[in-house]
Amino acid sequence: FLERTTPSVPQAIRSWLADGIVEITIMPYLLAAGQHVAGDIPLMIAEVQSGNPRLQVHMTPHIGASRGMAPLIAQHLQECMPPL
């Protein structure tokens, strides 16, 4: 959905800049560290940062990297499985 949703990452950052926000934290709401996490999002951030020296953008690890994700998935599976 990254390519198709609006606003895009650069558009959102520029909108926040227009509102005077210069420190932003981005948390990729993705389960895996694929191309978006490894390349696309950092490139988008760099694009906007290059023209805005005051802008500080921090990107957290993707949500799938959270230590709490595996237990959450296991709990969800248990809740969804029919009784044996």
Side-chain angles (χ1 to χ4, degrees):
F1 295 113
L2 188 63
E3 299 89 356
R4 297 185 180 142
T5 59
T6 57
S8 67
V9 172
Q11 288 170 337
I13 294 172
R14 287 186 183 106
S15 170
W16 296 323
L17 272 171
D19 290 339
I21 298 168
V22 294
E23 187 167 349
I24 299 166
T25 300
I26 294 177
M27 181 193 68
Y29 192 70
L30 298 162
L31 290 177
Q35 180 57 36
H36 290 325
V37 172
D40 297 336
I41 296 171
L43 284 174
M44 290 177 194
I45 292 169
E47 169 194 327
V48 180
Q49 279 184 311
S50 68
N52 298 284
R54 292 183 26 217
L55 177 63
Q56 296 179 40
V57 180
H58 312 280
M59 187 170 114
T60 70
H62 63 288
I63 198 161
S66 170
R67 286 180 277 154
M69 190 55 65
L72 179 63
I73 291 170
Q75 176 186 342
H76 180 71
L77 283 170
Q78 285 179 334
E79 292 170 359
C80 295
M81 295 294 293
L84 295 177

